[in-house]
Amino acid sequence: ADFMAYEEAAQISPRFGNVRTLEEFPNVRSWLEKMSALPFHDEVHAGLGALGDLTTTDDGPPFADRLAPASKIGLRAIAEAQKRSGRAAKL
């Protein structure tokens, strides 16, 4: 359950989508930090990092134009993590 809930909370947090500050939820922020320390966290979330701030209104590419490249970055990072862990998916 933690993994499922983490994805929903993390994607809106300042670390990824930056939709909410979560300042009013210190326990949630603490839990997000603990979850982010798990092995391969950064690799699994490379796509969210590449997608960037969802609230930006600068001259950068719109969300729809960032989605496919961010997904590809995330999939590559996961594949590399699987290789390093010796647990590559068998299709």
Side-chain angles (χ1 to χ4, degrees):
D2 275 345
F3 291 120
M4 297 296 286
Y6 177 81
E7 296 308 318
E8 297 301 319
Q11 67 187 344
I12 65 167
S13 73
R15 181 175 186 163
F16 296 114
N18 198 31
V19 176
R20 298 259 336 231
T21 66
L22 302 177
E23 289 298 318
E24 67 271 31
F25 304 106
N27 292 341
V28 171
R29 288 192 340 263
S30 174
W31 172 70
L32 288 173
E33 285 300 315
K34 290 175 186 172
M35 292 293 289
S36 71
L38 291 173
F40 301 108
H41 172 275
D42 293 344
E43 293 87 348
V44 171
H45 294 90
L48 283 178
L51 189 57
D53 190 333
L54 300 179
T55 64
T56 187
T57 57
D58 65 8
D59 292 331
F63 173 78
D65 293 343
R66 294 182 288 168
L67 190 56
S71 295
K72 290 175 184 176
I73 289 168
L75 289 171
R76 278 194 298 270
I78 290 169
E80 288 300 316
Q82 287 176 325
K83 288 178 190 174
R84 285 195 321 274
S85 72
R87 297 180 182 171
K90 296 177 182 168
L91 302 176

